[in-house]
Amino acid sequence: MPAPTADDSELAAALGAWFAAQARDLPWRRTRDPYAILVSELMLQQTQVATVIPFYERWLARFPTVDALAAADEAEVLRHWAGLGYYARARNLHRAAQAVVERHGGQFPRTPEEVGALPGVGPYTRGALLSFAFGLRAVMIDANIARVLARLADVQTPIDSTAGQRALESAAEALLPADGESARIANAALMELGALLCKPGEPPCLLCPVKRWCRTTAPAELPRKKPRRGRVALAEACGWIRSADGALLLEQSAGPRWRGLWRLPLLSAPPAGEPLDVSRYPFTHHEITLQVFAAPPPDALSPAQRWVQPEELADFALTAPHLRAIRRLLDVAPTSAR
Ligand code: SF4
């Protein structure tokens, strides 16, 4: 680890002072419990802070400890995640809790190797656990921190390349104070600066507490990323199938995309006629067009299918795109006779 220069120390001190004055009071900042911090970090991946807060609080009320989560069954875990989307995070959290209980007797490990070996814990989450929970000096680079570091150090290499990642890591290494507690504050401050001030586009640099040290002259152009591969278009045709008493037919997916989650039943081919609802959503390198067609009830249900009354929908872990389509259609679609 390169020793921070006097300049780097002043930068970290300026960040810390700004953080003390400006940081938001967020529930996961009031705890050092590694389990609660892991929950918050996984929820915050791809989800806004304001959305996460009520989910985080409900989650900890239902699964207050790593043992409680490890002992829960997967269907219940997924149901409590419903609404946050990206269910792989819930599965990983569940598996990580089980690993903490099985491998470490319910106590979170504290070494980078053991923390990084927990399911779903990549370099960023590992750094967050080491720094935020245990107060150890650790580099952690999420999208906000990456943007701030790329601008501070004027990193022109695409940050989604190996060389770009290295440049960000060495900028973080240079900036982080030697003692773990000050490094924890610097990490939190970098993240908060990216969330509140050094945002994408043209940031208000005149208000920035670290402007003196910032090397970029064109912040809106940073961070750079590699050109994106085009997304492959895929179509998905599903049935809107209602019973005479208003129930909706759902199907539990066994495929890799939505394993274990509930969705509208897949149709083997789009029927003739206009779809009731059309929406698009990205999935890895695909752009999926979801079309929902009115369809008659099947003669017999498959083992994966179930009639569900609209008021029971909250009991099912539904995929986010299908849930959105169902919400739109429940307002408008007629009940089809069984
Ligand atoms: S001076 Fe501007 S670009 Fe540099 S860190 Fe501050 S807000 Fe970001």
Side-chain angles (χ1 to χ4, degrees), residues 35 81 104 112 118 139 148 198 210 225 233 243 252 262 328:
Y35 166 66
W81 197 271
H104 305 286
L118 294 173
V139 166
V148 177
C198 191
V210 293
K225 293 218 174 143
S243 69
Q252 192 169 28
W262 291 84
R328 284 191 295 273

Side-chain angles (χ1 to χ4, degrees), residues 89-162:
R89 298 178 296 169
R91 288 199 177 92
N92 281 333
L93 182 54
H94 192 207
R95 285 167 50 224
Q98 290 170 335
V100 169
V101 169
E102 285 158 20
R103 290 182 212 157
H104 305 286
Q107 297 296 315
F108 266 75
R110 298 171 79 106
T111 67
E113 295 72 26
E114 287 175 316
V115 172
L118 294 173
V121 173
Y124 164 76
T125 310
R126 179 186 64 198
L129 277 171
L130 294 173
S131 183
F132 291 161
F134 303 131
L136 299 170
R137 186 184 186 280
V139 166
M140 47 184 280
I141 300 178
D142 73 342
N144 281 327
I145 295 183
R147 186 169 56 256
V148 177
L149 290 174
R151 289 168 171 181
L152 277 173
D154 197 24
V155 174
Q156 295 292 331
T157 324
I159 59 161
D160 47 356
S161 66
T162 310

Side-chain angles (χ1 to χ4, degrees), residues 148 151-152 193 197-198 203 205 208 210-211 214 216 219:
V148 177
R151 289 168 171 181
L152 277 173
L193 191 69
L197 210 128
C198 191
C205 297
C208 180
V210 293
K211 179 168 179 14
C214 187
T216 182

Side-chain angles (χ1 to χ4, degrees), residues 320-332:
H322 285 239
L323 180 59
R324 286 193 293 269
I326 290 169
R327 287 204 178 120
R328 284 191 295 273
L329 283 168
L330 275 176
D331 286 342
V332 296

